[in-house]
Amino acid sequence: MSERTFESPVFVRAAEGLIQEIACLEDAFDFLDEWPKHRRGVIYETAKRACHRAYDGLIPLIVARDAFAGFARSVKILEDVATAMPWVAAAQSGETGGVAA
């Protein structure tokens, strides 16, 4: 695991029907850089600053991850992993079987 990889990824709705995994600082930077300028605000700036500070080793990586997740929550694109990947939730609960119709 890279020193810049999150302990657990953040899942965001990148587009209609597309869930994107943000697993490390580089993923977070890429996503934030692509975020529309007219939709950026204080929470966006806070998340980006936290990622830069974690990259520089000034704050723990978990703080940057949580700041990114907070940004995603604030703009209503944060996805719950169980919702994003229902087959993982089913496997974790002990269910087995084929693909649901």
Side-chain angles (χ1 to χ4, degrees), residues 21-42:
E21 178 183 38
I22 307 299
C24 62
L25 282 176
E26 289 77 10
D27 293 346
F29 284 131
D30 289 344
F31 190 88
L32 292 169
D33 288 343
E34 293 295 320
W35 191 251
K37 290 183 181 181
H38 71 276
R39 294 190 64 197
R40 297 177 184 183
V42 174

Side-chain angles (χ1 to χ4, degrees), residues 49-82:
R49 185 171 35 256
C51 289
H52 280 289
R53 294 188 74 204
Y55 184 88
D56 292 338
L58 300 173
I59 63 172
L61 192 57
I62 188 71
V63 174
R65 183 217 176 269
D66 290 349
F68 182 86
F71 158 73
R73 185 178 303 107
S74 77
V75 295
K76 300 180 180 6
I77 60 168
L78 183 65
E79 288 289 331
D80 178 26
V81 70

